[in-house]
Amino acid sequence: MPLSATAAMAAAMTVLVAAAVPGAAASAGTSPAAPTSGAPASGVPASAAPVPEAPVGEVVGAAPLPEADLSHHGYVSFSGGHIAIRIRSENLGPSDVTASTVRLRFSAPLAVTQELPYDCLRSGKATVLCETGGLRSGGGARQTALDLQPAGGPDEVIVRLDTVWNGGVRDTDPKNDVHQVLAPATGDAYAF
C-alpha cells in the first residue's frame, strides 16, 4: 500500500473516531456549541443518530472491500549453515489479488551478505520481504524459493511467515497465511 494512501486512511479514521467520541471535539481544540435546555452537556444533540462502527481498516461510507483468501504453505529446512525455504502462495478467492507481500522473520539475524531472488529484499537484520505478484482467484500458485544463511551459526531457527500486503482485499481466512516454524539444524523439512 502506498504511504500516501496509508496516511490518508489514518487521517480519515482519526476524524471518524473524533466525531464518534462524546467530548472529543473539546479535547481536539474545538469548542462545542453551548448546551441548551434538553441537550446533553457533551454538545451532541439528543436526536443525533449513533455513529455506526466500521471494521478496522475500513472507512464508513466506503465501498466494501473485495474478499479473497490468501494461503501460504511450504517447508523450511536448516542444515550446513543454510536455511532453505519454499513457499507456495495462492488465492482461494473469490476475488483476484493484484499483488501481495510475504514477510519472513527469523529468530537469528541473517548474514550480512545474502543472495535473494529478484522479488525479495531485506527489511532489517532478520527480516526478508518477498512479493508474490498477482494471484488469480482459484488460479495457479506462485512459488518462492530462498536459500539464506543465518549469522552466528545457531543450532536452530524459528521462521515466522505472514502477509503484510494483500492487494487491498479483505482476507476471509487470515489463519492460513500466518505460520511459525521451528527448524533445528538437522536438515529435516518442516512443513507449514
Side-chain angles (χ1 to χ4, degrees), residues 72 83-87 89 100-132 144-151 158-165 177 179:
H72 306 295
I83 306 167
I85 302 171
R86 302 298 179 262
I87 305 167
S89 300
S100 71
T101 303
V102 175
R103 175 176 52 192
L104 299 149
R105 292 176 289 164
F106 300 88
S107 60
L110 299 172
V112 175
T113 305
Q114 297 285 331
E115 188 172 330
L116 297 173
Y118 73 94
D119 54 354
C120 296
L121 59 89
R122 295 279 297 258
S123 176
K125 293 180 181 180
T127 304
V128 173
L129 301 173
C130 294
E131 182 185 17
T132 67
T144 304
L146 297 113
D147 182 20
L148 304 171
Q149 296 176 333
I158 297 172
V159 180
R160 294 174 183 89
L161 180 138
D162 64 339
T163 302
V164 291
W165 172 240
D177 61 308
H179 304 283

Side-chain angles (χ1 to χ4, degrees), residues 18-191:
V21 176
S27 65
T30 60
S31 57
T36 59
S37 63
S42 69
V44 178
S47 62
V51 177
E53 290 188 25
V56 176
E58 290 187 29
V59 178
V60 174
L65 293 174
E67 293 182 357
D69 182 12
L70 294 179
S71 172
H72 306 295
H73 295 288
Y75 71 87
V76 176
S77 65
F78 181 34
S79 113
H82 289 266
I83 306 167
I85 302 171
R86 302 298 179 262
I87 305 167
R88 176 184 164 93
S89 300
E90 60 185 321
N91 175 10
L92 304 175
S95 299
D96 292 343
V97 174
T98 57
S100 71
T101 303
V102 175
R103 175 176 52 192
L104 299 149
R105 292 176 289 164
F106 300 88
S107 60
L110 299 172
V112 175
T113 305
Q114 297 285 331
E115 188 172 330
L116 297 173
Y118 73 94
D119 54 354
C120 296
L121 59 89
R122 295 279 297 258
S123 176
K125 293 180 181 180
T127 304
V128 173
L129 301 173
C130 294
E131 182 185 17
T132 67
L135 298 170
R136 289 190 340 254
S137 173
R142 300 286 298 261
Q143 305 288 332
T144 304
L146 297 113
D147 182 20
L148 304 171
Q149 296 176 333
D155 294 330
E156 64 185 25
V157 293
I158 297 172
V159 180
R160 294 174 183 89
L161 180 138
D162 64 339
T163 302
V164 291
W165 172 240
N166 63 8
V169 300
R170 188 171 72 84
D171 195 336
T172 57
D173 182 14
K175 290 178 271 179
N176 60 2
D177 61 308
V178 177
H179 304 283
Q180 179 172 308
V181 181
L182 170 65
T186 60
D188 296 320
Y190 295 90

